[in-house]
Amino acid sequence: MHHLFGVVLGQKDLSRAGDLFSLDDSEIEGCLSEALEQIKIISSSPDYQTNDNDQAVVEICITRITTAIRETESIEKHGKSLVALWESCLEHNLKPSGKDEDTPHAKIASDIMSCILQNYNRPPVMALAVPVAVKFLQRGNKELCRNMSSYLSLAGISKADLLAEHTETIVKSVLQVYNHKLGSLKEQSSSLEEKMVVIY
């Protein structure tokens, strides 16, 4: 691993994390998978959800890693480690809090999702990603679900057979979103009717 990545992730040193952006993409490309594995260890620790420093370090490092992957076009090389970190988020709470704020692991999942699924036209990457992406559809985060569905539809256009075995899960997810919206509309309609009755 590059020395600076080792310091930032090994010591969870937020004060040095920004320095990662001063490095050339080619200088760190070779160690990105190792860095992703270290991030997975940090984000899986019991106190991660309440540790603001660790969350900030992870967020900065993921941004730096995904940027380097895009710029060096090395998604196929690092896809396995990226998907492994992404999938590890499923082991944690992804539902927004009462303030509609994403949980720490939902933020990780969202940041990684765009980096992976923007490569919907690369079958080797999608073969790794689609089985994991489908799991997120059932985890109760509507924003993640909506974005995931958009990317999956693009993947389906590019290579439909990747989605074939997951059709039932995808359809159920779409119906859940539809039913939720329908329920919200009914509640709003009932509330409006009650107000009109009071007025008249």
Side-chain angles (χ1 to χ4, degrees):
M1 189 186 299
H2 189 281
H3 173 70
L4 186 54
F5 257 124
V7 170
V8 172
L9 290 173
Q11 301 176 15
K12 302 169 190 174
D13 189 345
L14 183 58
S15 67
R16 299 290 306 280
D19 295 341
L20 291 168
F21 291 91
S22 67
L23 303 174
D24 288 337
D25 296 320
S26 58
E27 191 177 350
I28 60 175
E29 187 275 319
C31 73
L32 298 181
S33 287
E34 188 178 356
L36 286 164
E37 290 167 8
Q38 184 63 35
I39 289 173
K40 182 180 174 184
I41 292 171
I42 294 172
S43 64
S44 297
S45 64
D47 69 335
Y48 179 74
Q49 295 198 48
T50 56
N51 192 317
D52 292 340
N53 179 83
D54 289 8
Q55 290 173 30
V57 167
V58 164
E59 185 174 342
I60 292 170
C61 287
I62 288 177
T63 299
R64 185 66 191 94
I65 289 169
T66 54
T67 299
I69 287 175
R70 289 190 189 99
E71 293 300 317
T72 59
E73 298 185 354
S74 56
I75 183 66
E76 292 186 21
K77 179 178 178 180
H78 302 293
K80 188 174 181 180
S81 296
L82 199 59
V83 170
L85 174 57
W86 195 35
E87 186 170 24
S88 73
C89 295
L90 290 164
E91 301 170 9
H92 305 277
N93 178 34
L94 299 176
K95 292 184 178 181
S97 66
K99 298 178 182 178
D100 287 333
E101 294 180 356
D102 277 334
T103 66
H105 291 94
K107 290 178 181 177
I108 294 175
S110 181
D111 289 343
I112 293 176
M113 173 183 65
S114 59
C115 181
I116 295 174
L117 296 182
Q118 282 177 356
N119 294 278
Y120 59 85
N121 58 342
R122 299 192 185 198
V125 177
M126 290 300 97
L128 288 171
V130 167
V132 177
V134 170
K135 294 178 183 178
F136 278 98
L137 296 177
Q138 303 292 321
R139 293 306 304 272
N141 185 307
K142 290 190 287 295
E143 188 64 27
L144 270 179
C145 182
R146 183 162 46 248
N147 293 334
M148 202 76 70
S149 298
S150 298
Y151 281 120
L152 286 174
S153 64
L154 291 172
I157 292 171
S158 178
K159 196 165 178 59
D161 60 318
L162 284 173
L163 301 182
E165 65 182 278
H166 305 291
T167 302
E168 183 178 349
T169 302
I170 293 171
V171 170
K172 283 182 179 178
S173 175
V174 171
L175 289 175
Q176 283 179 355
V177 173
Y178 172 78
N179 288 334
H180 175 78
K181 288 182 177 179
L182 186 61
S184 297
L185 287 173
K186 286 182 177 178
E187 288 179 7
Q188 292 173 14
S189 176
S190 296
S191 176
L192 181 59
E193 288 176 0
E194 288 174 2
K195 289 178 181 177
M196 289 178 70
V197 168
V198 170
I199 292 172
Y200 291 102

